[in-house]
PDB file of all heavy atoms in Angstrom:
ATOM      1  N   ARG A 188     -14.187  40.468 -36.216  1.00  0.00           N
ATOM      2  CA  ARG A 188     -13.305  41.631 -36.095  1.00  0.00           C
ATOM      3  C   ARG A 188     -12.756  42.021 -37.461  1.00  0.00           C
ATOM      4  O   ARG A 188     -12.694  43.208 -37.810  1.00  0.00           O
ATOM      5  CB  ARG A 188     -12.186  41.305 -35.117  1.00  0.00           C
ATOM      6  CG  ARG A 188     -11.154  42.418 -34.932  1.00  0.00           C
ATOM      7  CD  ARG A 188      -9.942  42.130 -35.772  1.00  0.00           C
ATOM      8  NE  ARG A 188      -8.949  43.186 -35.651  1.00  0.00           N
ATOM      9  CZ  ARG A 188      -7.985  43.371 -36.521  1.00  0.00           C
ATOM     10  NH1 ARG A 188      -7.887  42.599 -37.576  1.00  0.00           N
ATOM     11  NH2 ARG A 188      -7.112  44.344 -36.351  1.00  0.00           N
ATOM     12  N   ASP A 189     -12.348  41.037 -38.275  1.00  0.00           N
ATOM     13  CA  ASP A 189     -11.852  41.317 -39.630  1.00  0.00           C
ATOM     14  C   ASP A 189     -12.918  42.038 -40.451  1.00  0.00           C
ATOM     15  O   ASP A 189     -12.627  43.008 -41.155  1.00  0.00           O
ATOM     16  CB  ASP A 189     -11.455  40.019 -40.335  1.00  0.00           C
ATOM     17  CG  ASP A 189     -10.211  39.388 -39.737  1.00  0.00           C
ATOM     18  OD1 ASP A 189      -9.458  40.104 -39.044  1.00  0.00           O
ATOM     19  OD2 ASP A 189      -9.994  38.183 -39.961  1.00  0.00           O
ATOM     20  N   PHE A 190     -14.141  41.559 -40.352  1.00  0.00           N
ATOM     21  CA  PHE A 190     -15.218  42.167 -41.130  1.00  0.00           C
ATOM     22  C   PHE A 190     -15.559  43.571 -40.643  1.00  0.00           C
ATOM     23  O   PHE A 190     -15.929  44.436 -41.445  1.00  0.00           O
ATOM     24  CB  PHE A 190     -16.465  41.278 -41.104  1.00  0.00           C
ATOM     25  CG  PHE A 190     -16.399  40.120 -42.061  1.00  0.00           C
ATOM     26  CD1 PHE A 190     -16.665  38.828 -41.640  1.00  0.00           C
ATOM     27  CD2 PHE A 190     -16.060  40.321 -43.389  1.00  0.00           C
ATOM     28  CE1 PHE A 190     -16.601  37.758 -42.520  1.00  0.00           C
ATOM     29  CE2 PHE A 190     -15.994  39.263 -44.275  1.00  0.00           C
ATOM     30  CZ  PHE A 190     -16.265  37.980 -43.843  1.00  0.00           C
ATOM     31  N   ARG A 191     -15.446  43.809 -39.338  1.00  0.00           N
ATOM     32  CA  ARG A 191     -15.691  45.167 -38.834  1.00  0.00           C
ATOM     33  C   ARG A 191     -14.688  46.146 -39.440  1.00  0.00           C
ATOM     34  O   ARG A 191     -15.047  47.261 -39.835  1.00  0.00           O
ATOM     35  CB  ARG A 191     -15.604  45.205 -37.303  1.00  0.00           C
ATOM     36  CG  ARG A 191     -16.796  44.605 -36.587  1.00  0.00           C
ATOM     37  CD  ARG A 191     -16.845  45.054 -35.135  1.00  0.00           C
ATOM     38  NE  ARG A 191     -15.641  44.693 -34.406  1.00  0.00           N
ATOM     39  CZ  ARG A 191     -15.469  43.545 -33.774  1.00  0.00           C
ATOM     40  NH1 ARG A 191     -16.416  42.639 -33.784  1.00  0.00           N
ATOM     41  NH2 ARG A 191     -14.333  43.309 -33.120  1.00  0.00           N
ATOM     42  N   MET A 192     -13.438  45.733 -39.510  1.00  0.00           N
ATOM     43  CA  MET A 192     -12.407  46.581 -40.098  1.00  0.00           C
ATOM     44  C   MET A 192     -12.621  46.739 -41.599  1.00  0.00           C
ATOM     45  O   MET A 192     -12.473  47.824 -42.163  1.00  0.00           O
ATOM     46  CB  MET A 192     -11.024  45.991 -39.819  1.00  0.00           C
ATOM     47  CG  MET A 192     -10.700  45.785 -38.354  1.00  0.00           C
ATOM     48  SD  MET A 192     -10.637  47.321 -37.406  1.00  0.00           S
ATOM     49  CE  MET A 192      -8.960  47.842 -37.702  1.00  0.00           C
ATOM     50  N   LEU A 193     -12.981  45.636 -42.279  1.00  0.00           N
ATOM     51  CA  LEU A 193     -13.222  45.697 -43.722  1.00  0.00           C
ATOM     52  C   LEU A 193     -14.387  46.624 -44.041  1.00  0.00           C
ATOM     53  O   LEU A 193     -14.360  47.340 -45.053  1.00  0.00           O
ATOM     54  CB  LEU A 193     -13.511  44.302 -44.273  1.00  0.00           C
ATOM     55  CG  LEU A 193     -13.822  44.238 -45.775  1.00  0.00           C
ATOM     56  CD1 LEU A 193     -12.591  44.615 -46.599  1.00  0.00           C
ATOM     57  CD2 LEU A 193     -14.332  42.866 -46.176  1.00  0.00           C
ATOM     58  N   ASP A 194     -15.407  46.628 -43.197  1.00  0.00           N
ATOM     59  CA  ASP A 194     -16.576  47.474 -43.449  1.00  0.00           C
ATOM     60  C   ASP A 194     -16.217  48.959 -43.437  1.00  0.00           C
ATOM     61  O   ASP A 194     -16.868  49.767 -44.102  1.00  0.00           O
ATOM     62  CB  ASP A 194     -17.676  47.189 -42.428  1.00  0.00           C
ATOM     63  CG  ASP A 194     -18.392  45.866 -42.704  1.00  0.00           C
ATOM     64  OD1 ASP A 194     -18.299  45.385 -43.841  1.00  0.00           O
ATOM     65  OD2 ASP A 194     -19.023  45.325 -41.775  1.00  0.00           O
ATOM     66  N   ILE A 195     -15.191  49.321 -42.679  1.00  0.00           N
ATOM     67  CA  ILE A 195     -14.726  50.708 -42.699  1.00  0.00           C
ATOM     68  C   ILE A 195     -14.129  51.032 -44.063  1.00  0.00           C
ATOM     69  O   ILE A 195     -14.396  52.088 -44.653  1.00  0.00           O
ATOM     70  CB  ILE A 195     -13.682  50.940 -41.584  1.00  0.00           C
ATOM     71  CG1 ILE A 195     -14.323  50.743 -40.210  1.00  0.00           C
ATOM     72  CG2 ILE A 195     -13.077  52.346 -41.695  1.00  0.00           C
ATOM     73  CD1 ILE A 195     -13.329  50.800 -39.056  1.00  0.00           C
ATOM     74  N   ILE A 196     -13.340  50.099 -44.603  1.00  0.00           N
ATOM     75  CA  ILE A 196     -12.759  50.280 -45.935  1.00  0.00           C
ATOM     76  C   ILE A 196     -13.861  50.309 -46.990  1.00  0.00           C
ATOM     77  O   ILE A 196     -13.831  51.119 -47.921  1.00  0.00           O
ATOM     78  CB  ILE A 196     -11.756  49.152 -46.235  1.00  0.00           C
ATOM     79  CG1 ILE A 196     -10.584  49.226 -45.254  1.00  0.00           C
ATOM     80  CG2 ILE A 196     -11.252  49.221 -47.672  1.00  0.00           C
ATOM     81  CD1 ILE A 196      -9.611  48.071 -45.375  1.00  0.00           C
ATOM     82  N   ALA A 197     -14.859  49.427 -46.842  1.00  0.00           N
ATOM     83  CA  ALA A 197     -15.964  49.378 -47.804  1.00  0.00           C
ATOM     84  C   ALA A 197     -16.735  50.700 -47.814  1.00  0.00           C
ATOM     85  O   ALA A 197     -17.155  51.184 -48.875  1.00  0.00           O
ATOM     86  CB  ALA A 197     -16.899  48.221 -47.465  1.00  0.00           C
ATOM     87  N   ARG A 198     -16.920  51.296 -46.635  1.00  0.00           N
ATOM     88  CA  ARG A 198     -17.605  52.590 -46.555  1.00  0.00           C
ATOM     89  C   ARG A 198     -16.817  53.659 -47.302  1.00  0.00           C
ATOM     90  O   ARG A 198     -17.389  54.468 -48.058  1.00  0.00           O
ATOM     91  CB  ARG A 198     -17.751  52.980 -45.079  1.00  0.00           C
ATOM     92  CG  ARG A 198     -18.359  54.339 -44.771  1.00  0.00           C
ATOM     93  CD  ARG A 198     -19.843  54.369 -45.043  1.00  0.00           C
ATOM     94  NE  ARG A 198     -20.138  54.728 -46.430  1.00  0.00           N
ATOM     95  CZ  ARG A 198     -21.160  54.243 -47.121  1.00  0.00           C
ATOM     96  NH1 ARG A 198     -21.997  53.376 -46.594  1.00  0.00           N
ATOM     97  NH2 ARG A 198     -21.362  54.616 -48.367  1.00  0.00           N
ATOM     98  N   GLN A 199     -15.515  53.670 -47.120  1.00  0.00           N
ATOM     99  CA  GLN A 199     -14.673  54.651 -47.803  1.00  0.00           C
ATOM    100  C   GLN A 199     -14.664  54.422 -49.300  1.00  0.00           C
ATOM    101  O   GLN A 199     -14.698  55.372 -50.090  1.00  0.00           O
ATOM    102  CB  GLN A 199     -13.255  54.589 -47.230  1.00  0.00           C
ATOM    103  CG  GLN A 199     -13.168  55.041 -45.775  1.00  0.00           C
ATOM    104  CD  GLN A 199     -11.812  54.774 -45.158  1.00  0.00           C
ATOM    105  OE1 GLN A 199     -11.203  53.731 -45.386  1.00  0.00           O
ATOM    106  NE2 GLN A 199     -11.326  55.716 -44.359  1.00  0.00           N
ATOM    107  N   ALA A 200     -14.624  53.157 -49.710  1.00  0.00           N
ATOM    108  CA  ALA A 200     -14.632  52.834 -51.136  1.00  0.00           C
ATOM    109  C   ALA A 200     -15.949  53.252 -51.784  1.00  0.00           C
ATOM    110  O   ALA A 200     -15.963  53.798 -52.893  1.00  0.00           O
ATOM    111  CB  ALA A 200     -14.397  51.337 -51.331  1.00  0.00           C
ATOM    112  N   ALA A 201     -17.059  53.012 -51.094  1.00  0.00           N
ATOM    113  CA  ALA A 201     -18.373  53.397 -51.628  1.00  0.00           C
ATOM    114  C   ALA A 201     -18.476  54.915 -51.769  1.00  0.00           C
ATOM    115  O   ALA A 201     -18.985  55.423 -52.773  1.00  0.00           O
ATOM    116  CB  ALA A 201     -19.482  52.871 -50.719  1.00  0.00           C
ATOM    117  N   ASP A 202     -17.985  55.638 -50.765  1.00  0.00           N
ATOM    118  CA  ASP A 202     -18.012  57.107 -50.833  1.00  0.00           C
ATOM    119  C   ASP A 202     -17.172  57.619 -51.999  1.00  0.00           C
ATOM    120  O   ASP A 202     -17.552  58.569 -52.693  1.00  0.00           O
ATOM    121  CB  ASP A 202     -17.502  57.709 -49.525  1.00  0.00           C
ATOM    122  CG  ASP A 202     -18.492  57.539 -48.376  1.00  0.00           C
ATOM    123  OD1 ASP A 202     -19.665  57.225 -48.651  1.00  0.00           O
ATOM    124  OD2 ASP A 202     -18.088  57.726 -47.215  1.00  0.00           O
ATOM    125  N   LEU A 203     -16.015  56.980 -52.230  1.00  0.00           N
ATOM    126  CA  LEU A 203     -15.154  57.386 -53.340  1.00  0.00           C
ATOM    127  C   LEU A 203     -15.823  57.112 -54.682  1.00  0.00           C
ATOM    128  O   LEU A 203     -15.818  57.977 -55.573  1.00  0.00           O
ATOM    129  CB  LEU A 203     -13.818  56.636 -53.260  1.00  0.00           C
ATOM    130  CG  LEU A 203     -12.825  56.917 -54.389  1.00  0.00           C
ATOM    131  CD1 LEU A 203     -12.420  58.389 -54.417  1.00  0.00           C
ATOM    132  CD2 LEU A 203     -11.586  56.020 -54.240  1.00  0.00           C
ATOM    133  N   LEU A 204     -16.426  55.947 -54.839  1.00  0.00           N
ATOM    134  CA  LEU A 204     -17.127  55.622 -56.076  1.00  0.00           C
ATOM    135  C   LEU A 204     -18.274  56.591 -56.328  1.00  0.00           C
ATOM    136  O   LEU A 204     -18.466  57.074 -57.454  1.00  0.00           O
ATOM    137  CB  LEU A 204     -17.664  54.188 -56.022  1.00  0.00           C
ATOM    138  CG  LEU A 204     -16.673  53.041 -56.201  1.00  0.00           C
ATOM    139  CD1 LEU A 204     -17.372  51.703 -56.007  1.00  0.00           C
ATOM    140  CD2 LEU A 204     -16.031  53.097 -57.587  1.00  0.00           C
ATOM    141  N   GLU A 205     -19.039  56.857 -55.262  1.00  0.00           N
ATOM    142  CA  GLU A 205     -20.191  57.759 -55.410  1.00  0.00           C
ATOM    143  C   GLU A 205     -19.727  59.161 -55.793  1.00  0.00           C
ATOM    144  O   GLU A 205     -20.321  59.804 -56.670  1.00  0.00           O
ATOM    145  CB  GLU A 205     -20.987  57.796 -54.112  1.00  0.00           C
ATOM    146  CG  GLU A 205     -22.279  58.594 -54.211  1.00  0.00           C
ATOM    147  CD  GLU A 205     -23.139  58.442 -52.991  1.00  0.00           C
ATOM    148  OE1 GLU A 205     -22.590  58.243 -51.876  1.00  0.00           O
ATOM    149  OE2 GLU A 205     -24.376  58.526 -53.125  1.00  0.00           O
ATOM    150  N   ARG A 206     -18.671  59.646 -55.153  1.00  0.00           N
ATOM    151  CA  ARG A 206     -18.148  60.973 -55.467  1.00  0.00           C
ATOM    152  C   ARG A 206     -17.691  61.046 -56.920  1.00  0.00           C
ATOM    153  O   ARG A 206     -17.987  62.028 -57.630  1.00  0.00           O
ATOM    154  CB  ARG A 206     -16.994  61.301 -54.526  1.00  0.00           C
ATOM    155  CG  ARG A 206     -16.479  62.738 -54.673  1.00  0.00           C
ATOM    156  CD  ARG A 206     -15.439  63.046 -53.615  1.00  0.00           C
ATOM    157  NE  ARG A 206     -14.202  62.338 -53.846  1.00  0.00           N
ATOM    158  CZ  ARG A 206     -13.477  61.771 -52.894  1.00  0.00           C
ATOM    159  NH1 ARG A 206     -13.881  61.789 -51.637  1.00  0.00           N
ATOM    160  NH2 ARG A 206     -12.341  61.171 -53.173  1.00  0.00           N
ATOM    161  N   ASN A 207     -16.996  60.015 -57.372  1.00  0.00           N
ATOM    162  CA  ASN A 207     -16.513  60.014 -58.748  1.00  0.00           C
ATOM    163  C   ASN A 207     -17.658  59.944 -59.754  1.00  0.00           C
ATOM    164  O   ASN A 207     -17.601  60.565 -60.822  1.00  0.00           O
ATOM    165  CB  ASN A 207     -15.559  58.834 -58.968  1.00  0.00           C
ATOM    166  CG  ASN A 207     -14.234  59.039 -58.250  1.00  0.00           C
ATOM    167  OD1 ASN A 207     -13.870  60.155 -57.915  1.00  0.00           O
ATOM    168  ND2 ASN A 207     -13.526  57.944 -58.018  1.00  0.00           N
TER     169      ASN A 207
END
Side-chain angles (χ1 to χ4, degrees):
R188 178 261 178 199
D189 290 341
F190 280 129
R191 285 198 302 271
M192 303 296 275
L193 178 67
D194 285 340
I195 296 174
I196 296 174
R198 176 72 272 146
Q199 294 171 320
D202 288 345
L203 178 62
L204 285 176
E205 186 171 31
R206 186 174 70 221
N207 289 340

